[in-house]
Amino acid sequence: MSDVTYRPPDILHWLEQGGRTGRSDSFRKAKEAAKSAGEGGFGTSFRKAAEAAKDLGKAAMADRAGRKYDDFLYLLADEELRIVKDGEATILPYRAIREIKEGKDDRWEIHAGTVQASIRPAAHLVVGSVKVPIGWLRNGIEVPFRLLIEELAARCGVEITGR
């Protein structure tokens, strides 16, 4: 078998876009707050300054979330699963994996003796009241979220269990 990589999809570039938009909104609101401070409205100035700080915080969170997935992947190698996050790899030999269990909120728990890991989606797509996990780029091709779990279970020779 050849190595297979699963990465978060390119949709995460929208986090970067959201961060840029949030920063520019924050700076605009901060300027408005500074202008209104000289016009005597303390309450209005304070509210605008608080909104600017909130937007800046949202932008920082979007930037952080985007960077979190820059160097993140699941590598299904010949004999092991490698989970690479922030340049560090967690290695789980397939022969050590005893259970893959479905958890809450599209989270999957992997039990390999004393080592445990989890697989969860990078993000969810929400439309109205419907929430679904976004899939992966499997060797550069978009695939459903669950395919990673199913392929891992097949390589390990274990059954996927429910909650």
Side-chain angles (χ1 to χ4, degrees):
M1 272 186 271
S2 62
D3 291 356
V4 176
T5 60
Y6 283 83
R7 295 180 181 277
D10 293 336
I11 197 166
L12 294 176
H13 76 277
W14 290 107
L15 286 170
E16 294 173 11
Q17 177 64 33
R20 283 193 296 273
T21 302
R23 274 191 304 282
S24 65
D25 287 350
S26 173
F27 294 138
R28 181 183 48 77
K29 287 179 182 177
K31 285 180 185 178
E32 289 174 10
K35 284 181 186 177
S36 65
E39 297 169 3
F42 175 76
T44 303
S45 298
F46 184 77
R47 182 181 54 78
K48 287 182 180 180
E51 287 176 2
K54 181 181 87 170
D55 286 349
L56 193 57
K58 283 182 180 179
M61 293 301 287
D63 287 343
R64 184 172 183 263
R67 281 193 301 274
K68 178 179 174 183
Y69 291 106
D70 278 347
D71 186 27
F72 177 75
L73 67 92
Y74 294 98
L75 174 69
L76 299 176
D78 284 338
E79 301 293 325
E80 63 198 16
L81 166 66
R82 293 183 201 149
I83 303 171
V84 180
K85 293 181 185 178
D86 301 323
E88 305 224 356
T90 301
I91 299 172
L92 300 171
Y94 297 139
R95 67 183 180 283
I97 296 175
R98 300 287 178 239
E99 181 181 36
I100 300 174
K101 185 176 182 181
E102 182 178 7
K104 292 182 179 181
D105 298 323
D106 299 310
R107 183 183 199 105
W108 296 84
E109 302 298 327
I110 303 167
H111 301 276
T114 59
V115 179
Q116 293 188 20
S118 64
I119 296 175
R120 57 190 171 143
H124 285 85
L125 177 62
V126 179
V127 179
S129 63
V130 178
K131 177 182 172 184
V132 295
I134 61 170
W136 305 103
L137 290 177
R138 182 185 186 274
N139 289 349
I141 299 171
E142 286 188 23
V143 296
F145 170 72
R146 191 173 163 107
L147 184 63
L148 169 57
I149 289 96
E150 292 171 352
E151 186 172 355
L152 176 61
R155 287 182 182 230
C156 298
V158 299
E159 292 290 323
I160 299 171
T161 60
R163 291 183 236 190

